[in-house]
Amino acid sequence: MYILGLSFYYHDGSAALVKDGVVVAAGEEERFTRRKHDPGYPARAIAFCLEHEGITIDDVDYVVFYEKPFVKFERLLVTAFQTFPKSLRVFRESMLAWMQKKLWVRSHILEKLKIPKKKLLFADHHMSHAAASFFCSPFDEAAILTLDGAGEWTTSTMGHGKGTKIELVKEMRFPHSVGLLYSAFTAYCGFEVNEGEYKLMGMAPYGEPKYVDRIMQMIKIGDDGSLWQDMKYFAYHWSATHSFTPEFEKVMGRPARDPALEDKSLDPFYCDVAMSIQKVTEDIMKKMVDHVVSLTGCTNVCLAGGVALNSVANGKLVNETKAEQIYIHPAAGDDGGAAGAAMWACHHLLDVPRAKALDHAYLGSEYSDEQIEAFLREHGIVFEKYDDDAAFFERVADDLVAGKVGGWFRGRFEWGPRALGARSIIADASNPEMKEIVNAKIKFREAFRPFAPSVLQERAREWFELPEGDELWPARFMLYVVPVKDDKRDKIPAITHVDGSGRLQTVYADTNPDYHRMISTFEKKTGIPVVLNTSFNLKGEPIVETPAQAFNTFSRSEMDVLYLGNYVITKDAKKIIDSTPFHLRHEGDRIVEMVS
Amino acid sequence: MFEPVTAFLERFGNVVGRILLTVVYFIAVAPVAIVYRAVADSLMTKRRPSSTYRPWEQINDTLEDARRQD
Ligand SMILES: [Fe+2]
């Protein structure tokens, strides 16, 4: 049985194909259209999913959209009523978007896919999140906690999953939202919403949690972690452009940080604010996790929704709550909603038995050696091919030891926001200058943001402080930030953040054997089972999908070497292939787009 | 060749749409909103319950339910 899940017209448009309870293909539309966070109808992602399985849409039993559009529309109307007359602009802008597109999701899908009406289903937004996490998890039974900016009305749920069923027990509703609270502080600290949240998280360790009490003047947190926000401080429910009010700035004691500053000054005040909101978020999440564990009696916890991408908070949950094991879907945000919607229909509605857990994120497209070689030859690009894998991995490891920064393109691309050794830029993590080199020459991004380490799974506990007994599921998807062991910090300075932490990815020989083997080869030469891993893209560009995109991004940056499968391309071969689309998007979302 | 024309129509449509929606907002939304605002607290801005979690009430457990958009 094939089920196609779709999410679009909100954040990243995505498609995911589920076959008999297993996600067999999934991808964000941005990877194909090359428009970062492309929210449009995911025509190309759908085409990829079907092609991958060698099927047509007629072979698909159900198509499932990840939310209930009319419920969200109702929320927008009610919110406009409730905040009249301040809501004029947001009403106008959101209604325009809804009239033009969002209200017609059903007919758009039917028209584009040409499927009978009875095949089209709609899941609840937070059920899609819950299902993405629980049905892909290794747990037969688990507590479920979802947390995001906003779905239709819902901003968080607590529930219980068992076998093929999910029971959502309670929900929190808009405008009270942990995700939107965090975004308000993202904007206050001078970053774009739906884009800059990672920056805020990266900035926090430079500060102290000095302003928790000021934040607490504007919100209340219940014993169950439930959040109530005094909405006189927030504006995202009625403003098209602002997420907080002047009163908010008064309470915080300083005006918002100028977005034009980007990363140019790290004013300690805003670092302290970043750390304070991080602490508040962690406090909320810990209370919620404890509550959902008590509520369900399950210590296995499935987390989902955009807030579950807060890897700093995730890294503390097992040690500091009653949770013993955690699972998070690799695409925890709304992209993952596509997979969740399909999984929900498959198990919860249709009772298809569960299959094995999703233990990797390699669900995207891939390119064969023949395709790579044909591309290189067509464009007259000089390359060196290694027929012997062992010799190839030696070559890569030698390059890294020599201080080179390489583009690593191999196998199926990753589902979710993280590069996990299929479309990665790799470098030697033991080189103290490597962080600056990669930031300044390749990624052109905020100097204060840390890079992540990929570590051999069997060595992870020697290098990182990891909770005892934790099976570390989130670390497979780079969703845990944990301390680097004291005695190892100076050995891998390029990936150790200012507070001594690292956002590790554990690399498993059974899910990414080549990446594992390359790091093992590097370890044999250096004694270090870790490489620096950052996503294969430039700032503002979606992660590369094809060999041509990889080659262009390689050419546009100061990367030293490119590995397309076993084909090695060096600096002197750089040039731009004009026929390959390239577009940078630096701006985040407008507030109206974030909530509607 | 049609692109500039389509772009113009789209922009023109958006401008007209915005004007119409402004009119709708003050003529149609206003009376409902004024009453609604006075009696309802759907956004829980006034009340502050001990917990903002409330029971999940959406029913979406059969294929029939799932075909609905609401
Ligand atoms: Fe969501």
XYZ file of all heavy atoms in Angstrom, chain B residues 20-43:
181
model
N -10.665 45.994 -1.563
C -11.926 45.308 -1.254
C -11.917 44.724 0.153
O -12.882 44.848 0.901
C -12.159 44.171 -2.260
C -12.788 44.596 -3.588
C -12.892 43.405 -4.529
C -14.184 45.196 -3.329
N -10.786 44.109 0.510
C -10.704 43.483 1.839
C -10.758 44.532 2.943
O -11.300 44.282 4.017
C -9.437 42.632 1.949
C -9.536 41.280 1.215
C -8.155 40.671 0.993
C -10.413 40.299 1.995
N -10.195 45.723 2.661
C -10.275 46.796 3.655
C -11.741 47.188 3.855
O -12.202 47.368 4.983
C -9.453 48.022 3.191
O -8.140 47.556 2.871
C -9.381 49.078 4.258
N -12.454 47.304 2.733
C -13.880 47.632 2.814
C -14.625 46.540 3.592
O -15.387 46.828 4.519
C -14.469 47.804 1.379
C -15.976 48.001 1.454
C -13.784 48.965 0.677
N -14.352 45.289 3.232
C -14.999 44.165 3.921
C -14.712 44.234 5.418
O -15.598 44.037 6.252
C -14.495 42.817 3.333
C -14.894 41.646 4.222
C -15.024 42.621 1.925
N -13.484 44.555 5.742
C -13.076 44.583 7.155
C -13.912 45.594 7.941
O -14.405 45.289 9.026
C -11.590 44.937 7.236
C -10.985 44.823 8.622
C -10.690 43.585 9.175
C -10.689 45.969 9.362
C -10.115 43.475 10.431
C -10.111 45.875 10.621
C -9.823 44.623 11.151
O -9.250 44.528 12.393
N -14.084 46.785 7.366
C -14.796 47.810 8.126
C -16.322 47.720 8.002
O -17.040 48.176 8.881
C -14.279 49.205 7.750
C -12.919 49.456 8.338
C -11.795 49.538 7.523
C -12.744 49.555 9.714
C -10.536 49.739 8.071
C -11.483 49.757 10.271
C -10.369 49.847 9.444
N -16.779 47.112 6.904
C -18.236 47.021 6.736
C -18.788 45.700 7.304
O -19.724 45.688 8.089
C -18.631 47.133 5.230
C -18.045 48.395 4.619
C -20.150 47.033 5.042
C -18.675 49.692 5.073
N -18.180 44.610 6.900
C -18.746 43.305 7.279
C -18.141 42.744 8.563
O -18.852 42.248 9.440
C -18.554 42.313 6.133
N -16.828 42.855 8.684
C -16.179 42.272 9.868
C -16.500 43.093 11.117
O -16.785 42.545 12.177
C -14.645 42.159 9.650
C -13.938 41.730 10.927
C -14.335 41.180 8.520
N -16.490 44.426 10.946
C -16.616 45.313 12.107
C -17.793 44.999 13.040
O -17.566 44.787 14.243
C -16.661 46.759 11.641
N -19.024 44.959 12.523
C -20.136 44.738 13.466
C -20.033 43.414 14.219
O -20.246 43.368 15.439
C -21.387 44.752 12.573
C -20.929 44.890 11.171
C -19.474 45.134 11.135
N -19.679 42.365 13.484
C -19.530 41.059 14.139
C -18.408 41.133 15.175
O -18.551 40.684 16.313
C -19.184 39.958 13.097
C -19.219 38.580 13.742
C -20.104 40.020 11.902
N -17.298 41.732 14.748
C -16.114 41.765 15.608
C -16.378 42.534 16.897
O -15.952 42.117 17.972
C -14.940 42.373 14.844
N -17.094 43.633 16.787
C -17.326 44.462 17.972
C -18.146 43.685 19.009
O -17.807 43.666 20.195
C -17.998 45.799 17.581
C -16.961 46.647 16.831
C -18.518 46.546 18.807
C -17.537 47.808 16.064
N -19.161 43.000 18.532
C -19.961 42.172 19.438
C -19.115 41.000 19.955
O -19.048 40.729 21.149
C -21.228 41.628 18.706
C -22.025 40.723 19.641
C -22.068 42.782 18.202
N -18.451 40.342 19.014
C -17.668 39.154 19.353
C -16.633 39.470 20.433
O -16.508 38.762 21.427
C -16.980 38.629 18.083
C -16.358 37.270 18.265
C -17.109 36.112 18.052
C -15.032 37.144 18.676
C -16.545 34.866 18.242
C -14.466 35.903 18.861
C -15.221 34.763 18.638
O -14.669 33.530 18.829
N -15.928 40.579 20.215
C -14.867 40.981 21.131
C -15.395 41.203 22.541
O -14.733 40.943 23.529
C -14.274 42.296 20.628
C -12.800 42.286 20.450
C -12.342 43.607 19.901
N -13.249 44.704 20.306
C -12.959 45.978 20.157
N -11.811 46.338 19.627
N -13.813 46.914 20.518
N -16.618 41.736 22.585
C -17.200 42.062 23.883
C -17.578 40.812 24.670
O -17.481 40.794 25.896
C -18.414 42.955 23.684
N -18.011 39.771 23.951
C -18.499 38.592 24.687
C -17.508 37.430 24.753
O -17.533 36.650 25.698
C -19.844 38.067 24.094
C -20.944 39.098 24.276
C -19.693 37.712 22.612
N -16.646 37.335 23.761
C -15.781 36.142 23.713
C -14.348 36.462 24.136
O -13.919 37.613 24.077
C -15.781 35.575 22.299
N -13.654 35.420 24.568
C -12.229 35.546 24.881
C -11.523 34.334 24.281
O -10.889 33.542 24.973
C -12.031 35.631 26.404
C -10.566 35.832 26.785
O -9.797 36.326 25.936
O -10.200 35.482 27.918
N -11.697 34.189 22.968
C -11.200 32.997 22.276
C -9.687 32.864 22.335
O -9.154 31.777 22.182
C -11.603 33.024 20.807
O -12.978 33.210 20.704
N -9.017 33.981 22.520
C -7.551 33.914 22.539
C -7.022 33.831 23.968
O -5.818 33.880 24.186
C -6.958 35.127 21.820
C -7.432 35.353 20.383
C -6.709 36.549 19.774
C -7.197 34.118 19.518
